[in-house]
Amino acid sequence: MHSFGYRLNGLLTFAVTILALMCAITSLSDNFNTPSPSAEIKIMNINWFQKQPQGHDEVSLTMNVSADLQSLFTWNTKQVFVFVAAEYETRKNSLNQVSLWDAIIPAKEHAKFWIHTSNKYRFVDQVV
């Protein structure tokens, strides 16, 4: 006959093994998810273009952003950070990046959206 300690040890070992197996299966299940997000950005209008006295160029523009990001949400996704960035090159720099707009999508229900907005952050190029 096994004592109470042996039985408790066997039971706890079995429970921890099952828990580890369930965690491994849960973790692997996310690898089979193939997200296919889609997004489209259209520049609708250039509101103004200014040349600053210091030699900088500044642009304000209006754009339509539409996206379907629902496939990014799985059991392990709490929120998604979305941003629109402009990339361009100049004689001085081969790659310039400016963030124009961003948002946090808190849930799958809000992951399909269309928004008409102007750039949230200043779009300034340092020409000099």
Side-chain angles (χ1 to χ4, degrees):
M1 228 31 197
H2 294 291
S3 69
F4 178 74
Y6 282 126
R7 291 180 184 180
L8 184 62
N9 184 24
L11 180 65
L12 289 177
T13 303
F14 179 70
V16 169
T17 303
I18 295 298
L19 182 63
L21 184 63
M22 288 174 53
C23 289
I25 290 171
T26 304
S27 179
L28 288 174
S29 72
D30 203 33
N31 291 337
F32 298 116
N33 180 33
T34 53
S36 56
S38 64
E40 185 177 350
I41 302 164
K42 289 185 180 179
I43 304 299
M44 302 307 290
N45 189 24
I46 296 178
N47 300 330
W48 47 266
F49 179 85
Q50 290 181 336
K51 252 193 175 328
Q52 302 292 334
Q54 302 87 4
H56 306 306
D57 295 335
E58 185 173 354
V59 177
S60 173
L61 47 91
T62 304
M63 58 189 157
N64 286 343
V65 180
S66 62
D68 183 4
L69 308 175
Q70 291 178 335
S71 64
L72 295 175
F73 282 88
T74 63
W75 64 270
N76 197 26
T77 307
K78 301 267 188 264
Q79 61 187 11
V80 175
F81 179 74
V82 183
F83 69 96
V84 175
E87 292 185 354
Y88 59 96
E89 59 183 65
T90 59
R91 288 176 294 206
K92 189 175 180 182
N93 300 317
S94 61
L95 177 63
N96 297 288
Q97 295 177 331
V98 178
S99 180
L100 299 176
W101 175 83
D102 64 12
I104 295 175
I105 311 299
K108 187 174 185 175
E109 295 78 34
H110 305 288
K112 192 171 186 176
F113 63 91
W114 179 89
I115 187 169
H116 179 79
T117 184
S118 61
N119 50 317
K120 189 174 180 180
Y121 304 106
R122 293 179 58 192
F123 188 179
V124 178
D125 182 31
Q126 300 171 349
V127 177
V128 180

